[in-house]
Amino acid sequence: MTQKQLPNEFYTMMEELQTVDFVLVELTLYLDTHPNDYDAINQFNEYSHARQTLKIKFEELFGPLQQYGNSYSGYPWNWDDPPWPWQI
């Protein structure tokens, strides 16, 4: 099986998504112990919005990131198009 050639933008956007995901995980852990930190909540919401925006743009260009209704599919069904995010 030959590996599909992907543009540099794929890797750039994937790195951006991974960076935002890391920030969201860290903020979640922090907010679990500091639930009244208004600034941290605002920062979490800003990164959540940024993540959603990146996800939509990424999926328009390269296909779905998640399954079980968290991402739309193109036609034909493109959920199984490689590479999957963890394969890069």
Side-chain angles (χ1 to χ4, degrees), residues 62-76:
F62 305 111
L65 284 167
Q66 298 176 308
Q67 184 44 295
Y68 306 110
N70 292 311
S71 295
Y72 293 102
S73 176
Y75 182 84

Side-chain angles (χ1 to χ4, degrees), residues 8-23:
N8 286 337
E9 186 178 17
F10 176 92
Y11 298 101
T12 301
M13 290 182 74
M14 184 60 70
E15 186 174 335
E16 288 177 42
L17 281 163
Q18 291 169 339
T19 300
V20 170
D21 284 347
F22 177 81
V23 171

Side-chain angles (χ1 to χ4, degrees), residues 15-86:
E15 186 174 335
E16 288 177 42
L17 281 163
Q18 291 169 339
T19 300
V20 170
D21 284 347
F22 177 81
V23 171
L24 287 168
V25 167
E26 292 298 310
L27 283 168
T28 297
L29 294 172
Y30 174 80
L31 286 165
D32 283 347
T33 58
H34 300 81
N36 297 316
D37 187 330
Y38 183 80
D39 291 333
I41 293 169
N42 281 336
Q43 189 176 25
F44 178 87
N45 289 334
E46 288 173 14
Y47 275 91
S48 293
H49 182 270
R51 208 281 183 200
Q52 190 65 12
T53 302
L54 282 167
K55 177 182 179 279
I56 290 167
K57 184 176 179 186
F58 182 93
E59 290 182 334
E60 286 173 354
L61 295 171
F62 305 111
L65 284 167
Q66 298 176 308
Q67 184 44 295
Y68 306 110
N70 292 311
S71 295
Y72 293 102
S73 176
Y75 182 84
W77 178 254
N78 61 346
W79 170 246
D80 59 353
D81 288 352
W84 289 12
W86 58 87

